[in-house]
Amino acid sequence: RPFMRTHLGLRLFLPFAAGYFLSYLLRNVNAVIAPELTRELGVSAADLGLLTSAYLLAFGAFQLPLGILLDRYGPRRVEAVLLLIAAAGSAWFAVGTSLAELAAARALIGLGVCACLMAAFKAFAIWYPIERLPALNAAVMVAGGLGGLAATTPLAWAAPILGRDGLFLVLAALAALAAAGIYSTPEKPASAAGGTLGRQLRELGTVLGSGDFWRYAPIAATALGGFVALQGLWAVPWLMQVSGQTREAAAFHMLLTTLAMICGFLGTALGIGPLRRRGLTPGRVMAIANGVGLLAMLALWWGIGSTHALWFLVGIVFAVGNLAYAELTSRFDPKLAGRVNAALNLATFVGAFSIQWGYGVLLDTLRAAGWTAASSHRAAFVTLLALQSASFGWYLWSGRRAARTAAAWRAGAGSA
């Protein structure tokens, strides 16, 4: 029986992990090939931000329908179909010649991979008890971290050899293979949600209207989404124009940051259970990590401390911050897991899109006003830091308010 459980776990885990690896690789690929895109298309920073974030816009826009589809039809079918769309988008990006074509292809890629993480989370929620979810979620995110790692120095080596067209044709083939692998995963009988579409929409409305969701949504948008925006595009230009790094050195910084993220996911997967048994809940671990992350971001902006160490710390903090998904899911019925996770992912990617595009708009505006490239980056960076600080304050305050309300209700019920 242990062998059967292990075999089932691998048949379930490995294909979804491969899909999320590819999703992360496709998310971050433009950060390394940004100079080539700028040279080929002659675009501004705002145009480059819009082109890259078209992925995030399509990804985020489909999250709420995705949650319904995952709960209604199951993760296996939904993700397999969407990955075929990602393959088509990658092939289009390989042959596109205009900014409009590449933006549309990038959006198609974003739509195609939008289920990669949420489908894995839904599959785990179907097959495993709720207390296993933080570790399993973190484990599959290790695969995403490896995809992000592949999108740093290795991609910087491969891009000049393959060119944009060859690189994206390879990615299209990999997406098609991942779709076939996920379609072959086991499916638990009666795992799809019952009820009419109207009922499922009403249940989604309950999720979106809950205080629990709005406690986590702002911090997901600014902390998780902010990291996605930086890692996916603006961290490399920051390192080059503020820290004076070469592109190769900046890509190596991102490699270290991604390694840190992988370490954070792996550490979360292995350590969250023992920490819980010692009384340190996942929610508290997440809060501590976010506080540390804000200090690291402040040090980066201030220019104090080791740049290597600070970016490494930011990568670890981002990984731990993803405990928000399991924490929010644990507050709802498991049959709503697809919609809960997708709703929070929507918040993350709305934040990522807004920050990635807004960062570029702010850079262009400040440069047009006579600011240097370095000072423009520093202003955009501190604006992001202010947003993250405000959302973290809301998370702490709303948590304390909810705890006081629950304690008052228990006291009233006890006296009655």
Side-chain angles (χ1 to χ4, degrees), residues 21 25 33 46 61 75 116-117 131 143 184 276 291 337 354 387:
F21 173 95
L25 177 59
I33 66 169
C116 287
L117 185 60
E131 62 270 13
S184 70
R276 189 201 295 269
S354 302
L387 291 173

Side-chain angles (χ1 to χ4, degrees), residues 343-361:
L344 190 61
N345 217 35
L346 172 62
T348 298
F349 278 87
V350 166
F353 169 78
S354 302
I355 292 165
Q356 195 168 84
W357 186 17
Y359 195 111
V361 170

Side-chain angles (χ1 to χ4, degrees), residues 13-31:
F13 179 84
L14 291 179
F16 283 106
Y20 191 48
F21 173 95
L22 184 65
S23 170
Y24 228 107
L25 177 59
L26 285 165
R27 180 191 304 174
N28 292 342
V29 62
N30 279 17

Side-chain angles (χ1 to χ4, degrees), residues 15-371:
F16 283 106
Y20 191 48
F21 173 95
L22 184 65
S23 170
Y24 228 107
L25 177 59
L26 285 165
R27 180 191 304 174
N28 292 342
V29 62
N30 279 17
V32 173
I33 66 169
E36 283 79 8
L37 292 173
T38 302
R39 184 173 60 251
E40 289 179 22
L41 302 173
V43 296
S44 67
D47 288 336
L48 182 60
L50 179 59
L51 167 61
T52 304
S53 59
Y55 167 108
L56 301 175
L57 180 62
F59 192 116
F62 200 66
Q63 287 301 300
L64 295 184
L66 172 65
I68 293 172
L69 291 172
L70 288 173
D71 285 338
R72 191 172 183 86
Y73 299 108
R76 181 179 68 92
R77 295 183 182 88
V78 172
E79 186 174 355
V81 171
L82 287 172
L83 277 171
L84 293 177
I85 295 175
S90 297
W92 191 10
F93 200 94
V95 300
T97 57
S98 68
L99 178 65
E101 279 188 288
L102 295 182
R106 183 77 176 158
L108 206 60
I109 293 170
L111 172 64
V113 299
C114 73
C116 287
L117 185 60
M118 299 301 99
F121 286 0
K122 173 64 178 181
F124 299 154
I126 291 170
W127 285 95
Y128 294 97
I130 196 75
E131 62 270 13
R132 296 282 303 278
L133 297 187
L136 287 166
N137 289 359
V140 81
M141 295 186 86
V142 172
L146 293 173
L149 185 64
T152 57
T153 300
L155 189 64
W157 291 337
I161 299 171
L162 296 173
R164 171 168 57 92
D165 51 352
L167 177 63
F168 276 88
L169 286 175
V170 169
L171 292 172
L174 292 176
L177 288 173
I182 285 169
Y183 193 75
S184 70
T185 59
E187 186 169 45
K188 195 170 187 177
S191 59
T196 63
L197 178 60
R199 176 182 173 182
Q200 291 181 325
L201 288 170
R202 287 192 296 272
E203 290 171 341
L204 175 60
T206 300
V207 173
L208 294 175
S210 71
D212 285 325
F213 175 77
W214 288 105
R215 181 188 177 202
Y216 286 91
I219 201 168
T222 59
L224 302 183
F227 181 86
V228 169
L230 291 175
Q231 187 191 40
L233 182 60
W234 293 117
V236 169
W238 163 277
L239 286 162
M240 293 173 67
Q241 297 175 18
V242 178
S243 300
Q245 306 282 340
T246 65
R247 185 173 75 158
E248 291 73 18
F252 182 69
H253 269 78
M254 287 298 94
L255 184 148
L256 291 178
T257 303
T258 306
L259 281 174
M261 184 180 69
I262 295 169
C263 291
F265 287 138
L266 188 58
T268 302
L270 297 176
I272 199 65
L275 287 174
R276 189 201 295 269
R277 289 191 291 272
R278 287 169 173 77
L280 196 59
T281 65
R284 183 166 295 181
V285 172
M286 191 185 84
I288 292 170
N290 272 277
V292 171
L294 288 175
L295 293 176
M297 292 279 287
L298 179 61
L300 281 169
W301 176 79
W302 202 266
I304 57 176
S306 165
T307 303
H308 285 293
L310 290 171
W311 279 105
F312 194 88
L313 189 57
V314 168
I316 290 177
V317 164
F318 168 76
V320 178
N322 280 275
L323 284 168
Y325 289 96
E327 280 290 283
L328 185 60
T329 300
S330 70
R331 287 160 169 75
F332 293 90
D333 191 307
K335 72 178 182 179
L336 301 176
R339 280 161 284 182
V340 172
N341 282 315
L344 190 61
N345 217 35
L346 172 62
T348 298
F349 278 87
V350 166
F353 169 78
S354 302
I355 292 165
Q356 195 168 84
W357 186 17
Y359 195 111
V361 170
L362 186 55
L363 286 183
D364 283 346
T365 301
L366 294 175
R367 287 173 185 170
W371 290 45

